[in-house]
Each structure stands twice: as structure tokens, then as C-alpha cells.
């Protein structure tokens, strides 16, 4: 019942945080904690009510966890190979491959370290396992909240502009990734218009070093071809980063006398970082995610996750310390309790 109660409390905190500001990263941790607590609580209740169910659950965990790790690691390695073949051999495109190898290699290494029974080596193995578990939980929370946060949602009469984030051109033309963002922006615009709202669209993106023209120029052409009126499109063609997308788009809108709530359209993997950045900049905004090709998504999510963790590195480090200390404390208490009931300690 303790885990079920904890899940309820975390769900309440998630709902309250979402109502206050869905862009807060603590909402991701609260929702993930609620899901995990609920799952553990339900399994514990089932195990307590039926001895055979307890045996089945133990067997399921003992077999399912290693098998799940093996499948996950293999899938990431395969995805990494596909990424390298389709997108090139950049560091960002190697992320899923690197993580896949780590998922396959680290668990056996940890087991081997613990099996030595040398106190310091066992401690190193335990700390490695805890750090990996923490990072895995953070990544899962990141992915889960990105899906929740990036839903299109309903129209909002306060919206004055739909800002579309650029992401590079290919031969001066819109790429499939950018096309997904633009199509989602048109979808959002139509939803707003159906509700009687008339926001402008801001295609935001400058010219990269390897591009023949500004991203905003190609984006504008695409929007016009999709039937967006020319007088409703305000290109922002100087930005080079996500922060500049936001800052320069807001400046452009203010020059036109427009201020209010923004709808930021980007790829699904980029939702959480965009949302967090817009909050830090003090913007009133919601973020909508556009679908991404499946093969591209794992490495893209990993890249964004790394950027989020780096931007909040001190908070992440503090939470890691709390996680390690709490987990070690619970584990120690469990061992002592087991030894006590076995009559090995007084």
C-alpha cells in the first residue's frame, strides 16, 4: 500500500505542476515516479495475496529484466548502425550505438565486479549500477514527459503567433524533418482558425555555413504553398540556435506590435528542451511536437537528453547523490532486516 499511496501523491503533484506550468522539469520526475510506484505497488499487492503469484512475479523479473536489457541494447546497436548509414558518421549520430554497446557491456562488468567480493571493488560495481539506473530513470522520464508535453491540444484564444523552429536545409530545400514541423504548424494554425483565432506564423531559422539560403526563406515558400496567407507569415531569418529562434522571433513580433502567448512548433524529441528554455527566458508559451522518423528518434532523444542534463548539471548531480544515498540506505536496511530475521545479528 505504501507504493500505491506514493503513486497517488506523485500524480497529485504532477497534476498541480502541470496546472502551474507544464514546462517545469520536476513534472517529468513526478510522473515517472508515479508510474514506477504504481507498478511496484500493484505487483506487491498481487504477490502478497497469492504465493504462486509471488513466485511468478519473481521469475518474471528474474528473466524479464536481463532479457529486456539484452533486447534494448541490441535494438540500440542496430539503430546506431542505421543512423550511421543514413545520416553520416557524426558524433551525434553515434549516440544510440554507443548507448547500445554500454547497455550490453556494463551489466556483465558490474556482475563481475560484485562477484570478486572485494569490498572496494564491490562498492565500485554498486555505484556504477546506481549511476546507470539513475541516468536510465532520467532518460525514461524525459521521453515520457516529452510525449505528454508535445501534444497539439486545443486552440487557445491567447495565442498570437505560431513559431516554427528551423532545422537545416538540404540543397536549399526543406528536409523531411523540417517538413514535419511545418505540417504540424499548419495543423495548429488551422485549429486556431477554426476556433476564430488568427495568429501569425513565424518560420524561424537563419542561413547555416553549409546552406545556400536562410531556412526561413525555404520555410516561408513551403507555408505559402500550403495555403497560409502571405500577410500572416513573418519570416525570422537570422537565428542560428534554439535560443536565438525564441529571442529573435519575440523581437520581430514586438516590432509588429504583437505580444502574448506563443505556440512553439518543433520536433517531438526537441520539445522538452525548447519548453525548458522558453520558461527560463520568461516567455508565455506552449510547445507542440512534430513526428520524427523512427530510425532518427533514438539518437535525437539522446542528444537532447544530454543537452538537458548539461544545462541542469548541478541539479542533476545533487539528485544523483540523493538517489545513491537513499538507495544504499534502503538496501542496507533490507540486508540488516534479513540478517536479523535469520538470527545472524542481534
Amino acid at each position: 500500500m505504501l507504493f500505491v499511496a506514493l503513486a497517488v501523491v506523485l500524480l497529485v503533484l504532477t497534476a498541480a505542476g502541470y496546472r502551474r506550468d507544464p514546462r517545469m522539469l520536476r513534472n517529468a520526475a513526478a510522473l515517472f515516479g508515479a508510474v514506477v510506484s504504481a507498478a511496484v505497488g500493484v505487483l506487491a499487492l498481487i504477490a502478497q495475496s497469492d504465493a504462486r503469484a509471488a513466485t511468478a512475479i519473481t521469475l518474471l523479473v528474474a528473466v524479464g529484466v536481463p532479457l529486456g536489457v539484452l533486447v534494448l541494447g541490441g535494438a540500440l546497436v542496430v539503430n546506431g548502425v542505421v543512423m550511421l548509414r543514413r545520416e553520416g558518421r557524426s558524433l551525434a549520430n553515434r549516440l544510440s550505438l554507443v548507448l547500445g554497446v554500454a547497455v550490453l557491456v556494463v551489466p556483465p562488468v558490474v556482475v563481475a565486479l560484485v562477484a570478486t567480493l572485494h569490498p572496494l571493488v564491490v562498492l565500485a560495481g554498486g555505484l556504477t549500477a546506481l549511476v546507470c539506473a539513475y541516468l536510465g530513470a532520467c532518460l525514461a522520464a524525459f521521453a515520457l514527459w516529452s510525449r505528454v508535453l508535445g501534444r497539439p491540444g486545443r486552440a487557445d484564444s491567447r495565442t498570437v503567433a505560431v513559431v516554427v523552429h528551423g532545422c537545416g536545409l538540404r540543397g536549399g530545400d526543406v528536409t523531411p524533418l523540417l517538413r514535419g514541423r511545418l505540417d504540424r504548424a499548419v495543423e495548429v494554425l488551422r485549429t486556431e482558425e477554426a476556433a476564430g483565432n488568427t495568429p501569425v506564423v513565424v518560420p524561424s531559422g537563419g542561413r547555416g555555413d553549409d546552406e545556400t539560403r536562410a531556412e526561413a526563406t525555404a520555410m516561408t515558400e513551403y507555408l505559402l504553398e500550403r495555403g497560409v496567407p502571405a500577410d500572416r507569415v513573418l519570416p525570422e531569418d537570422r537565428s542560428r540556435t534554439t535560443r536565438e529562434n525564441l529571442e529573435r522571433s519575440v523581437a520581430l513580433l514586438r516590432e509588429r506590435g504583437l505580444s502574448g502567448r506563443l505556440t512553439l512548433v518543433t520536433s517531438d524529441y526537441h520539445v522538452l528542451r525548447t519548453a525548458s528554455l522558453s520558461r527560463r527566458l520568461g516567455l508565455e508559451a506552449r510547445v507542440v511536437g512534430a513526428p520524427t522518423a523512427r530510425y532518427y528518434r533514438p539518437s535525437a532523444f539522446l542528444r537532447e537528453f544530454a543537452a538537458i542534463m548539461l544545462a541542469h548539471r548541478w541539479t542533476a548531480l545533487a539528485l544523483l547523490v540523493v538517489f545513491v544515498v537513499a538507495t544504499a540506505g534502503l538496501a542496507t536496511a533490507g540486508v540488516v532486516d534479513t540478517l536479523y530475521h535469520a538470527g545472524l545479528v542481534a
Side-chain angles (χ1 to χ4, degrees):
M1 288 299 294
L2 176 61
F3 283 102
V4 174
L6 178 60
V8 172
V9 171
L10 290 173
L11 281 175
V12 171
L13 291 176
T14 302
Y18 188 90
R19 183 177 181 83
R20 179 183 176 186
D21 191 338
R23 297 172 295 175
M24 293 189 299
L25 295 179
R26 70 187 69 170
N27 296 329
L31 179 60
F32 179 73
V35 172
V36 173
S37 298
V40 173
V42 170
L43 290 177
L45 289 175
I46 294 174
Q48 290 172 5
S49 64
D50 190 334
R52 287 180 298 180
T55 301
I57 290 173
T58 301
L59 181 61
L60 179 63
V61 172
V63 175
V65 171
L67 182 60
V69 169
L70 184 63
V71 171
L72 175 62
L76 286 170
V77 168
V78 171
N79 176 258
V81 173
V82 172
M83 276 294 293
L84 292 178
R85 288 178 176 176
R86 293 192 180 186
E87 301 294 332
R89 298 179 178 275
S90 68
L91 177 60
N93 294 337
R94 299 172 189 264
L95 290 177
S96 58
L97 177 61
V98 171
L99 180 61
V101 172
V103 168
L104 294 174
V105 171
V106 171
V109 170
V110 170
V111 172
L113 291 175
V114 174
T116 65
L117 298 181
H118 187 285
L120 292 180
V121 179
V122 171
L123 178 61
L127 287 176
T128 300
L130 288 177
V131 170
C132 291
Y134 170 77
L135 292 175
C138 289
L139 178 58
F142 171 86
L144 178 61
W145 194 249
S146 292
R147 295 299 296 263
V148 172
L149 194 62
R151 296 173 302 167
R154 295 176 296 180
D156 189 336
S157 60
R158 297 172 296 169
T159 300
V160 298
V162 178
V163 179
V164 193
H165 292 256
C167 60
L169 304 176
R170 182 179 298 162
D173 297 324
V174 170
T175 62
L177 185 65
L178 184 52
R179 187 182 307 125
R181 298 184 182 188
L182 291 165
D183 288 342
R184 179 68 86 192
V186 172
E187 178 185 323
V188 171
L189 181 64
R190 300 306 182 212
T191 300
E192 294 289 344
E193 290 175 339
N197 307 325
T198 56
V200 298
V201 183
V202 182
S204 179
R207 176 182 173 183
D209 295 333
D210 59 345
E211 294 174 334
T212 59
R213 58 177 178 165
E215 294 166 10
T217 302
M219 293 163 72
T220 298
E221 290 178 0
Y222 186 89
L223 290 170
L224 296 180
E225 291 172 358
R226 293 300 180 275
V228 179
D231 61 353
R232 298 268 299 283
V233 180
L234 299 178
E236 184 287 298
D237 59 3
R238 296 173 57 197
S239 58
R240 302 289 292 273
T241 65
T242 300
R243 176 182 286 271
E244 290 184 0
N245 284 149
L246 297 174
E247 293 175 336
R248 294 186 184 280
S249 294
V250 169
L252 177 63
L253 290 168
R254 286 175 178 168
E255 290 175 2
R256 302 299 179 93
L258 297 173
S259 62
R261 186 178 177 84
L262 307 176
T263 294
L264 310 175
V265 180
T266 187
S267 298
D268 49 12
Y269 64 82
H270 195 230
V271 163
L272 197 55
R273 186 154 69 99
T274 301
S276 178
L277 181 57
S278 69
R279 185 171 184 268
R280 293 205 305 272
L281 292 175
L283 304 180
E284 184 183 2
R286 64 166 178 157
V287 185
V288 174
T292 309
R294 290 183 180 180
Y295 81 90
Y296 191 85
R297 194 173 295 159
S299 286
F301 263 112
L302 289 171
R303 183 177 68 243
E304 294 299 308
F305 173 69
I308 284 279
M309 295 295 282
L310 183 61
H312 300 84
R313 52 190 174 277
W314 297 117
T315 300
L317 182 60
L319 291 176
L320 172 61
V321 172
V322 172
F323 175 80
V324 170
V325 171
T327 304
L330 290 173
T332 302
V335 171
V336 171
D337 184 64
T338 300
L339 294 176
Y340 173 79
H341 285 91
L344 299 177
V345 297

